[in-house]
Amino acid sequence: MTVLSGTSDGGSNGGAVTIVHLYPTLMGTYGDGGNIRILVRRLAARRMNAHLITVGPGEPVPDSADLYVLGGGEDRSQVAASRELRNSGALNRAAARGATVFAVCAGLQVLGHDFEVSGGETEPGLGLLDATTRRRSRHAQGGAPPANARNRKDSVWPRAVGEVLAEPLDGSPLLTGYENHGGGTVLGPAAAPLARVISGIGNGSGSAAGDGHEGAVQGRILATYLHGPVLARNPALADRLLELATGSELAPLEVAYVDQLRAEREHYVKTGKLSAESVHTRR
Amino acid sequence: MSAQLPLRSHLAITAGRTAAAVSRAVGRGRGQVIGGRVMLKIDPSLLRRLAAPMRVTAVSATNGKSTTTRMIAEALRTAGSVAHNSTGANMAAGVATALATNRRAAFAAIEVDEAHLPAVAQSTGASQLVLMNLSRDQLDRGSEVRMLAERWHSMAAALGPDVEVIANADDPMVAWAASAAPNVTWVGCGQWWTEDSALCPSCGASLTRTAANWACQRCGLSRPETAWFILPDAAQIVTPSGTVRPQLALPGRFNVANAAIALAAVTARGVGTDSALDAFGRVNDVDGRYVRASVEGHEARLLLGKNPASWTEMMQLVAGSPALLVTVLNARGADGRDPSWIWDVPFEDWAGRPCWVAGERRFDLAVRLDTAGLEVLGVSLDPLAATAEAAPGQGLDIVANYTAFQELRGQVVK
């Protein structure tokens, strides 16, 4: 367990926001470690102290932190992380206490009731989200054929890979990111989607093109399929997590190049073209 | 001792050459891939036929395969003629073109894409396989690291003792895959990027590591003993017959690691250590990598960083350089369309360093570098716009990923 305090208070976490980064070596395949850097940076920019705890496999998970972050990973890593968390019980205790939890992709699946891995076996998850995940190929075989099925090709649902643009249900700015998953997640009545898909697949159940849902929200538990890393591309989502974790409203924050990045990605999704504007220099 | 080829093979080669020439004539590239595809379409057995009289060494890795193959080819050339896919066309078609271009070669030194290695190794009847490292690369379309290791493992398990596998003992993924082969020479090439081998490739438990060793406490898989290895100074190579200090023109500790495994490979082919090291020292650019070119009065050095492991090594390489750092990022099909891996590069280690950011995904990279604390001087689509920011006479260290690198090389290398 690595403990880093971005503070001058000598390592005590009095007054600091305690963030637990769960298993970055297992669940960090798609640059999701960047989400942690963004959270810490946005706290620091507001002169708030961050107390970061990184938990590796086999190490104890603290149950008293404010915010827990779980990224994406390969099947085997995902199963390993899920088993560690189930055996420890700490994340469930923390969530019951009202801690904020944020998960990405395979992490989203782990937070649900159960998920299927590529061998066809079903692995129990943590049950923190009212969600179940099966391979998209199984949804395609088991469920009724998608309403818009025109040919046999539509009955096989490919892996969901590509840029996503989605509209958050809470009215915050558009969600932008990159998805890459073979799982299709169905939300139960206790969970709401994080956003409605404008372009891309999202949760990926219901039909080959998904069911229009992206991610999940249940109390203080938020999850998404989006990489990017998603908090680097969506500062509003980062602040939503920090506001949940700190219980206080945060002042807006200007960060260099983020607006241009968001505009460029939105332009690309809508037109299929990269923007080619001129030189930007900061002076 | 060229193979006696049937008429069909001759037709295939002629048609392939024509297709390649047409491709070049209309400016569609170097033609190696299209030519090879035509050849293999007409004669699917062509690879086997062309390779039959050659002693084939196939080299594969996520990073370093082009450079290592080039070193091996240069050293083998001291012993005989060598067929070599020197332009990085590293799937069956590119290999077919390389072998057809030098049919009388005694040796073939071919780099092979990681996912295509089992098929190409089999169809060429390679008698030597050099396996170096596996790490994350183009996850949007490539395979997860563990899946590649599994494919290599199955390939190795089917090999006979006549095939010599030369493998990096320090990469657990590679070592596990190679350990299935009956005839392995282990080389300690080091592993600086460990993010993709946290778990035992065999049983899935967490691996325990020390500076020079790794092991699985659950199933007992561990780093094999090596008679060849690089010393921690990454300047000397220990061989079964003594310690040598290669004098390479290429920079970086990873190139010493590349030289170590290349040395083990060519020694097994009968090349003496001194001739091999001389040959390695003659390699000064590898298909444009490390090349120096003059750009509007500034000396520019071109460096390829295509994934987290290689980008990290390139940042190490330019750490002390007085040149202006220019970082360039694209995310086209050949690069991988998801550039989120830039967040896996520990750019925080270079906080405070001024840099220019360019390429089609410059804003992604600018946010990353700014977050890491580098001083982003500005961004532009065109990397060469950075020359405006460079002091008179200041050099440029340009680190670019794949398609950005290819484009730049075309622009600045005359």
Side-chain angles (χ1 to χ4, degrees):
Chain A
M1 183 162 76
T2 320
V3 179
L4 270 179
S5 283
T7 65
S8 51
D9 63 5
S12 127
N13 61 348
V17 183
T18 304
I19 302 175
V20 174
H21 190 189
L22 294 163
Y23 312 119
T25 54
L26 298 176
M27 306 288 274
T29 313
Y30 299 89
D32 297 323
N35 290 328
I36 296 287
R37 300 191 194 278
I38 296 295
L39 290 168
V40 171
R41 184 192 193 196
R42 294 186 76 80
L43 284 170
R46 293 171 171 121
R47 310 203 173 279
M48 295 171 80
N49 295 328
H51 179 70
L52 177 63
I53 302 173
T54 301
V55 177
E59 296 173 352
V61 180
D63 59 7
S64 59
D66 303 306
L67 174 57
Y68 293 79
V69 181
L70 183 62
E74 304 180 14
D75 277 3
R76 280 160 51 109
S77 306
Q78 178 189 20
V79 169
S82 183
R83 288 183 184 170
E84 293 243 4
L85 288 172
R86 271 195 302 128
N87 292 340
S88 138
L91 188 58
N92 289 64
R93 284 196 299 279
R97 184 178 49 72
T100 304
V101 181
F102 178 59
V104 176
C105 196
L108 175 155
Q109 300 175 358
V110 166
L111 296 192
H113 300 296
D114 54 29
F115 56 92
E116 181 185 0
V117 290
S118 41
E121 283 158 50
T122 301
E123 177 76 18
L126 303 181
L128 293 175
L129 279 177
D130 189 7
T132 55
T133 301
R134 296 293 176 269
R135 304 297 297 175
R136 274 168 55 79
S137 53
R138 183 171 307 276
H139 280 293
Q141 292 155 11
N148 58 352
R150 285 194 207 98
N151 53 42
R152 281 183 54 211
K153 236 174 137 184
D154 279 357
S155 68
V156 179
W157 302 0
R159 195 173 167 85
V161 184
E163 284 288 329
V164 177
L165 197 64
E167 191 171 15
L169 265 57
D170 73 344
S172 58
L174 293 181
L175 199 59
T176 160
Y178 193 92
E179 65 182 335
N180 185 354
H181 57 104
T185 299
V186 180
L187 300 182
L194 175 67
R196 298 212 179 279
V197 175
I198 296 171
S199 177
I201 307 282
N203 291 354
S205 59
S207 81
D211 61 359
H213 293 169
E214 199 312 290
V217 180
Q218 188 170 340
R220 290 168 186 240
I221 300 169
L222 273 70
T224 176
Y225 266 110
L226 303 189
H227 303 285
V230 66
L231 299 185
R233 281 169 62 162
N234 301 278
L237 181 59
D239 281 355
R240 183 172 170 185
L241 293 169
L242 291 174
E243 289 186 342
L244 283 172
T246 59
S248 54
E249 203 171 312
L250 297 172
L253 189 66
E254 285 283 310
V255 173
Y257 301 112
V258 172
D259 291 343
Q260 286 132 307
L261 167 59
R262 289 176 55 79
E264 189 272 328
R265 287 291 84 198
E266 192 177 332
H267 175 79
Y268 174 77
V269 168
K270 290 180 172 167
T271 65
K273 290 186 183 116
L274 295 159
S275 58
E277 82 281 27
S278 53
V279 177
H280 297 257
T281 0
R282 283 168 77 200
R283 284 293 168 157
Chain B
M1 170 190 76
S2 164
Q4 292 302 306
L5 296 177
L7 181 61
R8 186 185 187 91
S9 304
H10 283 290
L11 284 173
I13 293 170
T14 306
R17 283 187 181 146
T18 307
V22 169
S23 172
R24 277 192 300 274
V26 299
R28 294 292 294 273
R30 291 184 277 198
Q32 278 115 340
V33 174
I34 180 71
R37 280 199 190 133
V38 168
M39 290 181 201
L40 292 173
K41 190 86 185 166
I42 295 172
D43 182 3
S45 68
L46 189 66
L47 264 187
R48 181 175 57 78
R49 292 182 194 281
L50 288 170
M54 303 179 189
R55 300 174 75 190
V56 178
T57 299
V59 180
S60 196
T62 302
N63 292 316
K65 53 187 176 291
S66 297
T67 304
T68 304
T69 308
R70 174 76 191 283
M71 287 178 176
I72 289 171
E74 290 299 323
L76 289 176
R77 235 164 241 142
T78 64
S81 171
V82 183
H84 173 209
N85 54 339
S86 58
T87 63
N90 64 13
M91 301 178 201
V95 173
T97 294
L99 300 191
T101 306
N102 194 352
R103 283 180 46 209
R104 293 173 186 283
F107 300 102
I110 54 175
E111 68 157 277
V112 187
D113 177 86
E114 308 88 274
H116 289 75
L117 178 66
V120 173
Q122 190 185 28
S123 52
T124 58
S127 56
Q128 200 178 49
L129 301 181
V130 178
L131 310 180
M132 300 163 56
N133 57 71
L134 288 172
S135 68
R136 62 189 68 177
D137 188 36
Q138 298 182 30
L139 288 167
D140 66 309
R141 62 161 202 169
S143 303
E144 291 175 336
V145 169
R146 152 82 199 173
M147 271 150 61
L148 286 172
E150 196 130 347
R151 277 190 232 174
W152 283 17
H153 186 267
S154 307
M155 166 191 77
L159 296 174
D162 52 325
V163 178
E164 183 189 28
V165 174
I166 299 171
N168 180 7
D170 290 320
D171 184 323
M173 291 288 158
V174 171
W176 170 70
S179 65
N183 177 2
V184 188
T185 299
W186 296 106
V187 182
C189 298
Q191 188 197 33
W192 294 287
W193 177 264
T194 59
E195 303 295 313
D196 293 300
S197 45
L199 295 184
C200 173
S202 178
C203 77
S206 294
L207 290 177
T208 48
R209 288 174 183 273
T210 58
N213 228 326
W214 56 265
C216 174
Q217 305 299 334
R218 191 201 282 168
C219 75
L221 184 75
S222 61
R223 181 187 182 280
E225 287 289 312
T226 57
W228 301 79
F229 54 93
I230 59 170
L231 288 176
D233 65 359
Q236 300 175 82
I237 302 169
V238 174
T239 81
S241 52
T243 300
V244 298
R245 183 182 285 273
Q247 302 296 325
L248 301 178
L250 300 179
R253 57 188 182 184
F254 50 95
N255 277 321
V256 177
N258 293 340
I261 203 162
L263 186 60
V266 301
T267 301
R269 293 296 202 211
V271 178
T273 304
D274 291 343
S275 346
L277 293 177
D278 283 350
F280 298 168
R282 288 194 292 273
V283 176
N284 55 14
D285 90 86
V286 179
D287 203 25
R289 295 168 179 83
Y290 317 108
V291 84
R292 285 169 192 277
S294 176
V295 181
E296 293 171 27
H298 301 275
E299 189 187 51
R301 180 163 62 152
L302 286 193
L303 301 164
L304 175 67
K306 52 183 183 169
N307 50 41
S310 69
W311 201 294
T312 303
E313 288 303 318
M314 292 309 151
M315 289 299 291
Q316 293 277 6
L317 195 66
V318 303
S321 163
L324 173 64
L325 174 61
V326 182
T327 58
V328 197
L329 184 72
N330 284 354
R332 298 186 197 169
D335 301 307
R337 295 197 181 276
D338 175 12
S340 60
W341 56 265
I342 57 178
W343 290 81
D344 293 330
V345 181
F347 284 115
E348 280 71 11
D349 293 354
W350 298 281
R353 174 146 191 170
C355 63
W356 187 269
V357 182
E360 291 165 357
R361 298 300 293 270
R362 57 201 174 283
F363 296 122
D364 294 77
L365 190 54
V367 169
R368 171 70 189 109
L369 296 179
D370 183 63
T371 302
L374 280 82
E375 186 193 344
V376 179
L377 300 170
V379 306
S380 57
L381 181 61
D382 176 10
L384 299 185
T387 50
E389 196 69 27
Q394 188 185 19
L396 305 174
D397 280 337
I398 309 179
V399 184
N401 73 333
Y402 192 72
T403 63
F405 179 89
Q406 299 291 353
E407 225 168 69
L408 261 169
R409 186 188 58 184
Q411 275 175 277
V412 307
V413 182
K414 305 295 186 236

Short mmCIF file of all heavy atoms in Angstrom, two decimals, chain B residues 213-250:
data_model
loop_
_atom_site.label_atom_id
_atom_site.label_comp_id
_atom_site.label_asym_id
_atom_site.label_seq_id
_atom_site.Cartn_x
_atom_site.Cartn_y
_atom_site.Cartn_z
N ASN B 213 14.88 -10.15 -10.42
CA ASN B 213 14.22 -11.45 -10.42
C ASN B 213 12.71 -11.30 -10.34
O ASN B 213 12.20 -10.28 -9.89
CB ASN B 213 14.69 -12.27 -9.21
CG ASN B 213 15.08 -13.67 -9.64
OD1 ASN B 213 14.48 -14.24 -10.55
ND2 ASN B 213 16.08 -14.22 -8.98
N TRP B 214 12.01 -12.33 -10.79
CA TRP B 214 10.57 -12.37 -10.59
C TRP B 214 10.19 -13.82 -10.36
O TRP B 214 10.87 -14.75 -10.82
CB TRP B 214 9.82 -11.79 -11.80
CG TRP B 214 10.14 -12.45 -13.12
CD1 TRP B 214 11.07 -12.04 -14.03
CD2 TRP B 214 9.55 -13.64 -13.65
NE1 TRP B 214 11.10 -12.89 -15.10
CE2 TRP B 214 10.17 -13.89 -14.90
CE3 TRP B 214 8.55 -14.52 -13.21
CZ2 TRP B 214 9.82 -14.97 -15.70
CZ3 TRP B 214 8.21 -15.60 -14.02
CH2 TRP B 214 8.85 -15.81 -15.25
N ALA B 215 9.11 -14.04 -9.63
CA ALA B 215 8.66 -15.40 -9.34
C ALA B 215 7.20 -15.39 -8.95
O ALA B 215 6.67 -14.38 -8.49
CB ALA B 215 9.49 -16.00 -8.20
N CYS B 216 6.55 -16.54 -9.15
CA CYS B 216 5.18 -16.71 -8.69
C CYS B 216 5.20 -17.61 -7.46
O CYS B 216 5.70 -18.74 -7.52
CB CYS B 216 4.32 -17.34 -9.78
SG CYS B 216 2.65 -17.73 -9.20
N GLN B 217 4.70 -17.08 -6.34
CA GLN B 217 4.73 -17.86 -5.10
C GLN B 217 3.71 -19.00 -5.14
O GLN B 217 3.83 -19.96 -4.40
CB GLN B 217 4.43 -16.96 -3.90
CG GLN B 217 5.34 -15.75 -3.76
CD GLN B 217 6.80 -16.11 -3.59
OE1 GLN B 217 7.13 -17.20 -3.11
NE2 GLN B 217 7.69 -15.23 -4.01
N ARG B 218 2.70 -18.87 -6.01
CA ARG B 218 1.67 -19.91 -6.01
C ARG B 218 2.08 -21.12 -6.85
O ARG B 218 2.11 -22.24 -6.36
CB ARG B 218 0.35 -19.36 -6.52
CG ARG B 218 -0.82 -20.33 -6.29
CD ARG B 218 -1.99 -20.07 -7.22
NE ARG B 218 -2.81 -18.94 -6.79
CZ ARG B 218 -3.75 -18.39 -7.56
NH1 ARG B 218 -3.96 -18.87 -8.78
NH2 ARG B 218 -4.44 -17.38 -7.11
N CYS B 219 2.42 -20.90 -8.14
CA CYS B 219 2.68 -22.06 -9.00
C CYS B 219 4.16 -22.33 -9.20
O CYS B 219 4.53 -23.35 -9.77
CB CYS B 219 1.98 -21.90 -10.35
SG CYS B 219 2.80 -20.73 -11.46
N GLY B 220 5.03 -21.41 -8.73
CA GLY B 220 6.46 -21.68 -8.81
C GLY B 220 7.13 -21.22 -10.09
O GLY B 220 8.34 -21.35 -10.24
N LEU B 221 6.35 -20.68 -11.04
CA LEU B 221 6.98 -20.15 -12.25
C LEU B 221 7.95 -19.06 -11.81
O LEU B 221 7.63 -18.23 -10.97
CB LEU B 221 5.91 -19.56 -13.18
CG LEU B 221 6.41 -19.04 -14.54
CD1 LEU B 221 6.71 -20.20 -15.48
CD2 LEU B 221 5.40 -18.09 -15.19
N SER B 222 9.17 -19.08 -12.39
CA SER B 222 10.12 -18.05 -11.97
C SER B 222 11.06 -17.72 -13.12
O SER B 222 11.07 -18.41 -14.14
CB SER B 222 10.92 -18.54 -10.76
OG SER B 222 11.64 -19.70 -11.11
N ARG B 223 11.83 -16.68 -12.94
CA ARG B 223 12.75 -16.26 -13.97
C ARG B 223 13.78 -17.35 -14.21
O ARG B 223 14.45 -17.79 -13.28
CB ARG B 223 13.48 -14.98 -13.53
CG ARG B 223 14.47 -14.44 -14.54
CD ARG B 223 15.25 -13.28 -13.96
NE ARG B 223 16.18 -12.70 -14.92
CZ ARG B 223 17.37 -13.21 -15.22
NH1 ARG B 223 17.80 -14.31 -14.62
NH2 ARG B 223 18.15 -12.61 -16.10
N PRO B 224 13.93 -17.79 -15.48
CA PRO B 224 14.93 -18.82 -15.76
C PRO B 224 16.35 -18.29 -15.55
O PRO B 224 16.59 -17.09 -15.67
CB PRO B 224 14.69 -19.16 -17.24
CG PRO B 224 13.38 -18.55 -17.59
CD PRO B 224 13.18 -17.39 -16.67
N GLU B 225 17.27 -19.20 -15.25
CA GLU B 225 18.69 -18.83 -15.15
C GLU B 225 19.19 -18.44 -16.52
O GLU B 225 18.80 -19.04 -17.53
CB GLU B 225 19.50 -20.04 -14.66
CG GLU B 225 19.29 -20.35 -13.19
CD GLU B 225 19.95 -19.30 -12.31
OE1 GLU B 225 21.12 -18.97 -12.56
OE2 GLU B 225 19.27 -18.81 -11.39
N THR B 226 20.06 -17.43 -16.58
CA THR B 226 20.57 -17.00 -17.88
C THR B 226 22.09 -17.04 -17.91
O THR B 226 22.75 -16.69 -16.94
CB THR B 226 20.14 -15.55 -18.20
OG1 THR B 226 20.62 -14.70 -17.15
CG2 THR B 226 18.64 -15.43 -18.30
N ALA B 227 22.64 -17.48 -19.06
CA ALA B 227 24.08 -17.40 -19.28
C ALA B 227 24.43 -16.11 -20.03
O ALA B 227 25.58 -15.70 -20.10
CB ALA B 227 24.57 -18.61 -20.06
N TRP B 228 23.41 -15.46 -20.63
CA TRP B 228 23.57 -14.20 -21.33
C TRP B 228 22.74 -13.16 -20.59
O TRP B 228 21.56 -13.38 -20.35
CB TRP B 228 23.01 -14.27 -22.75
CG TRP B 228 23.59 -15.29 -23.66
CD1 TRP B 228 23.32 -16.62 -23.68
CD2 TRP B 228 24.53 -15.06 -24.71
NE1 TRP B 228 24.02 -17.24 -24.67
CE2 TRP B 228 24.78 -16.30 -25.33
CE3 TRP B 228 25.19 -13.92 -25.20
CZ2 TRP B 228 25.65 -16.43 -26.41
CZ3 TRP B 228 26.05 -14.06 -26.28
CH2 TRP B 228 26.28 -15.31 -26.87
N PHE B 229 23.31 -12.02 -20.27
CA PHE B 229 22.49 -10.96 -19.67
C PHE B 229 23.20 -9.61 -19.73
O PHE B 229 24.43 -9.57 -19.87
CB PHE B 229 22.09 -11.29 -18.23
CG PHE B 229 23.22 -11.63 -17.31
CD1 PHE B 229 23.81 -10.65 -16.53
CD2 PHE B 229 23.71 -12.94 -17.21
CE1 PHE B 229 24.86 -10.96 -15.67
CE2 PHE B 229 24.75 -13.26 -16.35
CZ PHE B 229 25.34 -12.27 -15.58
N ILE B 230 22.42 -8.55 -19.65
CA ILE B 230 23.04 -7.23 -19.59
C ILE B 230 23.26 -6.89 -18.11
O ILE B 230 22.47 -7.26 -17.25
CB ILE B 230 22.21 -6.12 -20.29
CG1 ILE B 230 20.81 -5.97 -19.69
CG2 ILE B 230 22.11 -6.39 -21.77
CD1 ILE B 230 20.08 -4.74 -20.20
N LEU B 231 24.36 -6.19 -17.83
CA LEU B 231 24.65 -5.78 -16.47
C LEU B 231 23.77 -4.58 -16.10
O LEU B 231 23.27 -3.88 -16.98
CB LEU B 231 26.14 -5.44 -16.33
CG LEU B 231 27.07 -6.67 -16.38
CD1 LEU B 231 28.53 -6.24 -16.34
CD2 LEU B 231 26.75 -7.64 -15.24
N PRO B 232 23.58 -4.33 -14.80
CA PRO B 232 22.70 -3.23 -14.40
C PRO B 232 23.10 -1.86 -14.96
O PRO B 232 22.26 -0.98 -15.08
CB PRO B 232 22.80 -3.24 -12.87
CG PRO B 232 23.19 -4.64 -12.53
CD PRO B 232 24.05 -5.11 -13.66
N ASP B 233 24.37 -1.69 -15.34
CA ASP B 233 24.77 -0.40 -15.92
C ASP B 233 24.20 -0.24 -17.33
O ASP B 233 24.33 0.82 -17.94
CB ASP B 233 26.29 -0.26 -15.94
CG ASP B 233 26.98 -1.29 -16.85
OD1 ASP B 233 26.27 -2.13 -17.45
OD2 ASP B 233 28.21 -1.25 -16.95
N ALA B 234 23.60 -1.33 -17.86
CA ALA B 234 23.05 -1.34 -19.21
C ALA B 234 24.07 -0.89 -20.25
O ALA B 234 23.74 -0.25 -21.23
CB ALA B 234 21.77 -0.52 -19.30
N ALA B 235 25.34 -1.21 -20.00
CA ALA B 235 26.38 -0.86 -20.96
C ALA B 235 27.17 -2.10 -21.35
O ALA B 235 27.81 -2.14 -22.40
CB ALA B 235 27.32 0.19 -20.37
N GLN B 236 27.13 -3.14 -20.50
CA GLN B 236 27.92 -4.34 -20.75
C GLN B 236 27.02 -5.56 -20.85
O GLN B 236 25.98 -5.63 -20.20
CB GLN B 236 28.93 -4.55 -19.63
CG GLN B 236 29.90 -3.39 -19.49
CD GLN B 236 30.80 -3.59 -18.28
OE1 GLN B 236 31.79 -4.30 -18.35
NE2 GLN B 236 30.42 -2.98 -17.17
N ILE B 237 27.49 -6.52 -21.66
CA ILE B 237 26.74 -7.75 -21.85
C ILE B 237 27.59 -8.92 -21.37
O ILE B 237 28.74 -9.06 -21.80
CB ILE B 237 26.39 -7.96 -23.35
CG1 ILE B 237 25.58 -6.76 -23.88
CG2 ILE B 237 25.63 -9.27 -23.55
CD1 ILE B 237 25.42 -6.77 -25.39
N VAL B 238 27.04 -9.73 -20.50
CA VAL B 238 27.73 -10.94 -20.07
C VAL B 238 27.33 -12.07 -21.02
O VAL B 238 26.14 -12.27 -21.28
CB VAL B 238 27.36 -11.29 -18.62
CG1 VAL B 238 27.98 -12.63 -18.21
CG2 VAL B 238 27.81 -10.18 -17.67
N THR B 239 28.33 -12.74 -21.57
CA THR B 239 28.07 -13.89 -22.45
C THR B 239 28.73 -15.11 -21.81
O THR B 239 29.53 -14.96 -20.88
CB THR B 239 28.67 -13.67 -23.86
OG1 THR B 239 30.07 -13.98 -23.82
CG2 THR B 239 28.48 -12.23 -24.33
N PRO B 240 28.42 -16.31 -22.30
CA PRO B 240 29.05 -17.50 -21.71
C PRO B 240 30.57 -17.48 -21.85
O PRO B 240 31.27 -18.16 -21.13
CB PRO B 240 28.43 -18.66 -22.50
CG PRO B 240 27.15 -18.12 -23.04
CD PRO B 240 27.40 -16.66 -23.29
N SER B 241 31.09 -16.65 -22.80
CA SER B 241 32.54 -16.63 -22.97
C SER B 241 33.16 -15.31 -22.54
O SER B 241 34.24 -14.95 -23.00
CB SER B 241 32.89 -16.94 -24.44
OG SER B 241 32.17 -16.09 -25.29
N GLY B 242 32.47 -14.57 -21.69
CA GLY B 242 33.09 -13.34 -21.17
C GLY B 242 32.17 -12.14 -21.29
O GLY B 242 31.10 -12.22 -21.88
N THR B 243 32.65 -11.02 -20.70
CA THR B 243 31.83 -9.80 -20.71
C THR B 243 32.29 -8.87 -21.81
O THR B 243 33.49 -8.67 -21.99
CB THR B 243 31.95 -9.11 -19.34
OG1 THR B 243 31.50 -10.02 -18.34
CG2 THR B 243 31.11 -7.85 -19.27
N VAL B 244 31.35 -8.33 -22.57
CA VAL B 244 31.70 -7.41 -23.66
C VAL B 244 30.98 -6.08 -23.46
O VAL B 244 29.96 -6.00 -22.80
CB VAL B 244 31.34 -8.00 -25.04
CG1 VAL B 244 32.12 -9.27 -25.30
CG2 VAL B 244 29.83 -8.26 -25.16
N ARG B 245 31.56 -5.03 -24.05
CA ARG B 245 30.97 -3.70 -23.99
C ARG B 245 30.71 -3.24 -25.42
O ARG B 245 31.61 -2.82 -26.11
CB ARG B 245 31.94 -2.75 -23.28
CG ARG B 245 31.42 -1.33 -23.09
CD ARG B 245 32.48 -0.46 -22.43
NE ARG B 245 32.63 -0.75 -21.01
CZ ARG B 245 31.89 -0.18 -20.05
NH1 ARG B 245 30.97 0.70 -20.37
NH2 ARG B 245 32.08 -0.48 -18.79
N PRO B 246 29.47 -3.38 -25.90
CA PRO B 246 29.21 -3.02 -27.30
C PRO B 246 29.34 -1.51 -27.51
O PRO B 246 28.97 -0.73 -26.63
CB PRO B 246 27.75 -3.46 -27.51
CG PRO B 246 27.15 -3.51 -26.16
CD PRO B 246 28.27 -3.82 -25.20
N GLN B 247 29.91 -1.11 -28.63
CA GLN B 247 30.01 0.31 -28.98
C GLN B 247 28.94 0.58 -30.02
O GLN B 247 29.16 0.43 -31.21
CB GLN B 247 31.41 0.62 -29.54
CG GLN B 247 32.55 0.28 -28.60
CD GLN B 247 32.52 1.12 -27.33
OE1 GLN B 247 32.15 2.29 -27.34
NE2 GLN B 247 32.89 0.51 -26.20
N LEU B 248 27.78 0.98 -29.56
CA LEU B 248 26.66 1.15 -30.48
C LEU B 248 26.54 2.60 -30.93
O LEU B 248 26.80 3.52 -30.17
CB LEU B 248 25.35 0.74 -29.79
CG LEU B 248 25.26 -0.69 -29.27
CD1 LEU B 248 23.92 -0.91 -28.58
CD2 LEU B 248 25.46 -1.69 -30.40
N ALA B 249 26.13 2.77 -32.18
CA ALA B 249 25.81 4.12 -32.66
C ALA B 249 24.41 4.51 -32.19
O ALA B 249 24.08 5.68 -32.13
CB ALA B 249 25.89 4.16 -34.18
N LEU B 250 23.60 3.51 -31.87
CA LEU B 250 22.22 3.77 -31.43
C LEU B 250 22.20 4.07 -29.93
O LEU B 250 22.91 3.43 -29.17
CB LEU B 250 21.33 2.57 -31.71
CG LEU B 250 21.23 2.14 -33.17
CD1 LEU B 250 20.33 0.92 -33.30
CD2 LEU B 250 20.69 3.29 -34.02
#
